[in-house]
């Protein structure tokens, strides 16, 4: 131990440079890996999406001074489940259900229900053309639609699917860590 200390004292400039390099690697590693996320989680409970439509007033309901033909009572219409699947774990323990929903206005939403997964840096929600499960590194080679960052590690969440998205070839939903190209979990859509 005394030999090590005397070596550092005799090479102060080299020891200082080595200390700076180690510090830079520690800071860079902390930035990339964000190890504190092993101990963090978040929760969100978004309501199931619904659409409000207005009924049309019939001629017998209309008063002589009525100027709006669409002044009938409001009705609430719910979404239709187009496809659904259960999450399976890949690189991280992941559970919950993925549902592809069609809203009354024709738009589509992906709903994650009872999601439970790990926190991580840069985790996205993808619709993928590849089957769920198996080797997670395969997802980069398939066609996918990035729906944005995962909103929370736990709970119920809605993700709008961009208008014009071709859903015919979508086979799965993937929780994808973009920074490290790792699938946390995936759900087949059947």
């Amino acid at each position: 131990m005394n030999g090590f200390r005397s070596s550092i004292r005799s090479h102060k400039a080299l020891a200082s440079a080595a200390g700076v390099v180690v510090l830079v690697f520690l800071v860079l590693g902390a930035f990339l890996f964000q190890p504190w996320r092993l101990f963090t989680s978040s929760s969100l409970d978004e309501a199931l999406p619904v659409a409000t439509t207005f009924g049309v007033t019939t001629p017998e309901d209309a008063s002589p001074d009525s100027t709006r033909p669409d002044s009938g009572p409001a009705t609430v219409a719910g979404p239709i489940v187009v496809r659904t699947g259960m999450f399976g774990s890949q690189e991280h323990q992941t559970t919950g259900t993925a549902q592809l929903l069609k809203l009354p206005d024709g738009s589509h939403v992906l709903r994650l229900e009872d999601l439970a997964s790990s926190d991580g840096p840069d985790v996205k929600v993808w619709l993928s053309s590849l089957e769920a499960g198996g080797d997670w590194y395969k997802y980069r080679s398939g066609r996918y639609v990035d729906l944005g960052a995962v909103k929370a590690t736990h709970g119920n969440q809605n993700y709008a699917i961009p208008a014009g998205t071709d859903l015919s070839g979508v086979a799965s939903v993937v929780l994808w860590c973009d920074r490290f190209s790792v699938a946390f979990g995936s759900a087949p859509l059947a």
Side-chain angles (χ1 to χ4, degrees):
M1 186 71 166
N2 286 336
F4 181 70
R5 287 183 185 163
S6 65
S7 177
I8 290 176
R9 287 185 193 129
S10 63
H11 298 94
K12 288 183 181 180
L14 184 59
S16 295
V20 168
V21 168
V22 167
L23 182 62
V24 166
F25 276 113
L26 286 174
V27 170
L28 185 61
F31 173 75
L32 288 175
F33 291 97
Q34 299 178 356
W36 56 87
R37 289 194 178 235
L38 291 172
F39 308 104
T40 62
S41 67
S42 54
S43 224
L44 177 67
D45 190 16
E46 288 185 319
L48 188 66
V50 294
T52 302
T53 58
F54 290 94
V56 177
T57 304
T58 60
E60 50 273 354
D61 292 338
S63 62
D65 58 1
S66 176
T67 56
R68 290 188 47 196
D70 64 340
S71 60
T75 59
V76 177
I80 298 170
V81 177
V82 178
R83 292 191 273 168
T84 188
M86 299 291 292
F87 272 99
S89 301
Q90 288 193 260
E91 186 65 19
H92 292 265
Q93 180 69 28
T94 303
T95 59
T97 305
Q99 295 180 332
L100 183 59
L101 304 175
K102 184 174 183 179
L103 300 182
D105 65 1
S107 64
H108 288 87
V109 169
L110 175 69
R111 178 159 174 87
L112 305 183
E113 287 194 335
D114 300 319
L115 178 68
S117 189
S118 300
D119 199 1
D122 207 17
V123 179
K124 307 284 181 96
V125 178
W126 282 7
L127 294 176
S128 174
S129 64
L130 300 176
E131 296 296 321
D135 296 326
W136 46 257
Y137 52 83
K138 69 182 178 182
Y139 294 111
R140 280 263 188 220
S141 64
R143 181 178 68 89
Y144 64 89
V145 178
D146 185 341
L147 299 181
V150 70
K151 295 176 182 178
T153 59
H154 293 77
N156 303 312
Q157 307 161 29
N158 303 314
Y159 296 86
I161 298 173
T165 300
D166 179 13
L167 297 174
S168 62
V170 172
S172 63
V173 175
V174 182
L175 294 185
W176 181 257
C177 178
D178 220 14
R179 180 164 300 160
F180 295 107
S181 294
V182 172
F184 278 35
S186 59
L189 288 176

